[in-house]
Every structure is written in C-alpha cells, then in structure tokens.
Amino acid sequence: QSKSGEGGQPRVQGGTFAARLAVTMKSAPRRGPTGLRAHPDLGRTRPPCRRATAQGRPASLLEGRFAREAARFHASRRRSAERACTSNGSERASGESGSASGGSSPQKTKAGSSSAPLSQSTFIKTDSRVVAIGDLHGDLQKTVAALKLAGVLSVSPDGAPVWCGGDTVIVQLGDILDRGDHEIQILHLFLRLKEQAKLRGGDVFLLNGNHESLNICGDFRYVTSGGFLESARVAGLPPEMAGRFQAQLKARVALFAPGGPIAQELANSYVALQINDTVFAHGGIMPHHVDYGLGRLNDEMSGWMRGEEGARSPIVAMGSPDSVLWCREYSREQWNTQVDRGRSCALLTKVLSELGANQMVVGHTPQERGCNAECDGKIWRIDVGMSSGVCNAAAQVIEIQPPAEEGARSQIRVLRAEGAYEAPLSRRKGMTG
C-alpha cells in the first residue's frame, strides 16, 4: 500500500509477515528461467533495460503482486509502520560499539540477531561449511545459479525457493544493487533463505558493497530502467504511476534513503565479517581499518542506514578509494611491478596477522580469469562479473571447509558452473565494480 508523505514522497505502510508469500505463490503458475514461479501478467509492462540484460526475460520471483507483498514485509520490519520513509529520526539502537577490533570475543554461532549491534557478531566460529558468493548486480538468474551451485537452493514443485543446504553458511560479498533489473528481488530471496537456513542450523550473511552505499546516498547513476520500475512496484505505486520516471525516482528515494525500508534491511548487512580464519569484505581490509575496529565500522554503517539520530556515513568504510567498500589494493590481476605486488601482499599479511586470520575474501573488482587466489593463497578474489550487466560470466563461488584442528588452515576450492571460463573474458566498457 502507498500513501503520499511529506514532500510528495511515497509512504510505505506496515503489514503482516506472512502476507509477503501466501497470496502470491498461489496465484502465479508460470515459471521464469530460474524455475521460480512468475506472476502471469508482468512481462508485458516491463520496459527495456538500458544496459545489457537479456531481452524479453520472463518476469520472475518477486515481480507483480509478490513485489507488493514484499513491500508490506519490508515495511513491517521497520520500527514504526506509520513513519514516513524519508524520515531520519529512528530510535538509536541499543548498545555501544566495543573495542577497536569489534568489542566482543569470537562467538560460536550460526547467526546474529538483527536487533543486536553487528559488532556482537563480527567475529564468528563455526564447524559448518561456508560458501562465499561475489557481486550479483541485479541478475536474479545468475543469483539462482550461484545458490544452486553452492548446493543450498532447490525449487519446490509449486515454484517456491527452498533451502536445501543444511547447516551451510552463505556469505554474499555485496553489490546486489545496480546494473540489473531484479535488485530487491535478490535481496528478498536471500532474506527468505536466511529464515529457512536458521531453522536447519545454517545461515546467510550479507555484506554491503559500494553500490549499496551509493544508493543509500541517493546516487542512482547505475540503476537500470527495470530497477527503477521494481522500486515503484515494491513501494506499492499503482500501475498508472509506476511507469512514470518521476514517480519511480521518488519511490527509489523513499525506499533507500537512511531509515527507509530497504535501507533498514541493508542495515543488517556487514562491512566486514570474520568466520573462523577467513575475513570477508567487499573491497578489502587495510591496516587502518583494523585500527579503527571492524565491529565499530559495522555498527556505524548500520546506524547510518537505519537513519539513527546523529549518525553519519562512515568515511573509513565508504568515503575514499582505500575505504573498505572501494579498496582495490588486493584485487589486481596483474601488478605493475613485483615491488607493487610485494607491497600489497605485505599489507595483507599485516592485516591477517592482527586479526588472527589466514586469508581474506573480497569482491568488487571483476576477475577476468574467474575466482583466483594471490599472495600465497592469503587473498581470494571472487567477483567474476557474473551479472549480465557486467561480464555475463557463468556463475562461480568458493567453498570454505573449516579448519580440521586448532591452528590449522581452512580448505578452499572453487565451484564452477558448466561453461565457466578458464580464459579471460572481455569486460564491458566502464564496468569496474
């Protein structure tokens, strides 16, 4: 449902948690290329994407009525369903940031509570298999392919997504947003799978990337026409308004501005996360990030996205080329000189030593030769450009088996979809993450 708020911005109202699925899943018999149930009346109204997405791709998981139910779900998770989406005055989250390294000792856990400060679950111990997935950029079809490759997603006979990964832990490294038409659908799919995974001893952790921060800042340069339309539908705009760009833009601002319903969901995502001996970040962790505190970074980013009073965008996380979300220090497929390589590897070694970790996993920079490791296996780069808006590469993920004993190193291998490339692919012009 949608009503007009201050300044003509749409206001998203609350709803029940169960409403997000029940009605829609019964009313949509047709399937899209993902195998997930599609809404029957959608493909006719979808405008052509201004980027390189597949022409005529059938509507899928969250489009149509499901998108409207998703809007009610997102609204119901806000602190007050009656507050305008553009308000920045939410209550301050309880609890304070801890010490420079996050304020808490490592927990043996499968999940953190979305209401607790993220610093309390920045460092995690688990005996479970971990699978890391790189940048997805609005491509639902490749997202489903990656999740199936990870062995955690199946599709029920009636077209519903089902977690089949047992106690597997999924870590998605950010950049769900931009360059593709199904951004919010992908976010909602991960949220559904997280709920199912936790019931079976698994979990799903999402990280924020630079494109998440761009959208919270109101920078929509990389949003496709389909992405704007999806925003209008999720905001609950009626069909006669959903096709108008100005209405789409206002809906996008309402959803993504700090304190808005999608921003509130992204506030539960991490800037940095460590599971066992593996550190995860979108761009990379530098020594000054460790000094600042990974838990502190997580809490400050979360507070800003929630629209907490007095919260500001965390510069160390997202405000410079060497910030966590924008760093490319460890992602070069070819260093200019061996001296440059040695410098990057030395910085990496210092960071891992201070964190008590053995390797780091990053996305952000498309790797033309697929998932790969450098610096003697201390850095894994897993953005393979799988989105049709980037390189349209076949899905790849990495599987991390926990250390066999105390002091041992996790075992990592690459899982490749059929047709995954071994030779370099040409990157689309201007696509650097």
Side-chain angles (χ1 to χ4, degrees), residues 14 93 122 200 216 276 280 366 392 399 402 408:
T122 298
R200 292 161 178 79
I216 304 300
N276 297 328
F280 301 89
N392 199 28
E399 178 187 68

Side-chain angles (χ1 to χ4, degrees), residues 31-54:
R31 307 285 182 90
T34 62
L36 297 167
R37 185 175 3 229
H39 196 270
D41 64 356
L42 222 69
R44 297 189 296 272
T45 60
R46 177 183 177 275
C49 175
R50 69 180 181 221
R51 298 192 187 276
T53 52

Side-chain angles (χ1 to χ4, degrees), residues 208-290:
N208 282 310
N210 58 307
H211 283 267
E212 279 72 40
S213 68
L214 286 173
N215 277 268
I216 304 300
C217 289
D219 187 337
F220 302 143
R221 284 176 291 170
Y222 303 101
V223 181
T224 66
S225 55
F228 277 114
L229 180 59
E230 181 189 52
S231 297
R233 288 172 169 167
V234 169
L237 297 186
E240 62 272 16
M241 292 182 62
R244 301 174 187 171
F245 177 72
Q246 288 300 319
Q248 294 172 358
L249 181 60
K250 289 182 178 181
R252 185 101 184 170
V253 171
L255 293 171
F256 284 89
I262 303 300
Q264 294 266 9
E265 295 294 350
L266 294 174
N268 296 321
S269 300
Y270 294 77
V271 174
L273 176 68
Q274 182 172 339
I275 301 179
N276 297 328
D277 63 338
T278 306
V279 181
F280 301 89
H282 180 68
I285 304 295
M286 300 284 281
H288 65 281
H289 302 146
V290 180

Side-chain angles (χ1 to χ4, degrees), residues 303-314:
W304 170 61
M305 288 185 167
R306 292 186 195 282
E308 293 178 1
E309 184 177 358
R312 295 183 179 181
S313 57

Side-chain angles (χ1 to χ4, degrees), residues 133-428:
I133 302 174
D135 303 31
L136 297 169
H137 282 302
D139 193 324
L140 180 63
Q141 189 171 355
K142 292 295 177 62
T143 301
V144 170
L147 290 167
K148 287 184 174 180
L149 184 61
V152 300
L153 174 66
S154 63
V155 180
S156 71
D158 64 350
V162 177
W163 175 267
C164 62
D167 66 352
T168 297
V169 174
I170 292 291
V171 179
Q172 199 283 320
L173 291 177
D175 276 10
I176 288 174
L177 302 183
D178 290 338
R179 306 195 192 283
D181 296 350
H182 304 102
E183 312 151 287
I184 301 173
Q185 301 175 46
I186 294 171
L187 175 62
H188 197 260
L189 174 59
F190 276 114
L191 294 176
R192 291 187 62 193
L193 290 177
K194 182 180 180 72
E195 294 169 354
Q196 297 179 33
K198 289 171 71 174
L199 295 176
R200 292 161 178 79
D203 210 340
V204 175
F205 292 98
L206 303 181
L207 271 62
N208 282 310
N210 58 307
H211 283 267
E212 279 72 40
S213 68
L214 286 173
N215 277 268
I216 304 300
C217 289
D219 187 337
F220 302 143
R221 284 176 291 170
Y222 303 101
V223 181
T224 66
S225 55
F228 277 114
L229 180 59
E230 181 189 52
S231 297
R233 288 172 169 167
V234 169
L237 297 186
E240 62 272 16
M241 292 182 62
R244 301 174 187 171
F245 177 72
Q246 288 300 319
Q248 294 172 358
L249 181 60
K250 289 182 178 181
R252 185 101 184 170
V253 171
L255 293 171
F256 284 89
I262 303 300
Q264 294 266 9
E265 295 294 350
L266 294 174
N268 296 321
S269 300
Y270 294 77
V271 174
L273 176 68
Q274 182 172 339
I275 301 179
N276 297 328
D277 63 338
T278 306
V279 181
F280 301 89
H282 180 68
I285 304 295
M286 300 284 281
H288 65 281
H289 302 146
V290 180
D291 294 339
Y292 193 82
L294 303 190
R296 180 182 175 188
L297 283 170
N298 285 330
D299 287 347
E300 288 183 358
M301 177 71 86
S302 179
W304 170 61
M305 288 185 167
R306 292 186 195 282
E308 293 178 1
E309 184 177 358
R312 295 183 179 181
S313 57
I315 301 300
V316 178
M318 52 173 277
S320 66
D322 65 350
S323 61
V324 179
L325 304 190
W326 287 94
C327 177
R328 301 189 195 273
E329 182 68 41
Y330 313 124
S331 299
R332 300 177 180 91
E333 290 193 89
Q334 291 184 340
W335 275 271
N336 293 330
T337 67
Q338 283 300 310
V339 172
D340 290 339
R341 180 183 182 277
R343 174 186 175 276
S344 295
C345 292
L347 287 171
L348 174 64
T349 299
K350 176 178 174 61
V351 168
L352 295 177
S353 176
E354 291 182 1
L355 294 173
N358 288 319
Q359 57 272 323
M360 185 185 301
V361 181
V362 299
H364 185 45
T365 303
Q367 302 292 303
E368 295 182 358
R369 56 193 172 102
C371 294
N372 65 85
E374 257 291 356
C375 299
D376 300 321
K378 293 179 180 178
I379 184 71
W380 281 85
R381 296 86 69 89
I382 67 168
D383 177 8
V384 300
M386 71 177 84
S387 170
S388 58
V390 185
C391 294
N392 199 28
Q396 293 188 27
V397 302
I398 63 169
E399 178 187 68
I400 308 171
Q401 294 289 353
E405 57 186 23
E406 190 71 26
R409 189 168 184 168
S410 294
Q411 299 299 307
I412 302 178
R413 65 171 180 150
V414 179
L415 305 180
R416 294 182 173 90
E418 182 179 352
Y421 49 78
E422 298 291 343
L425 284 182
S426 295
R427 188 181 305 159
R428 298 186 188 278

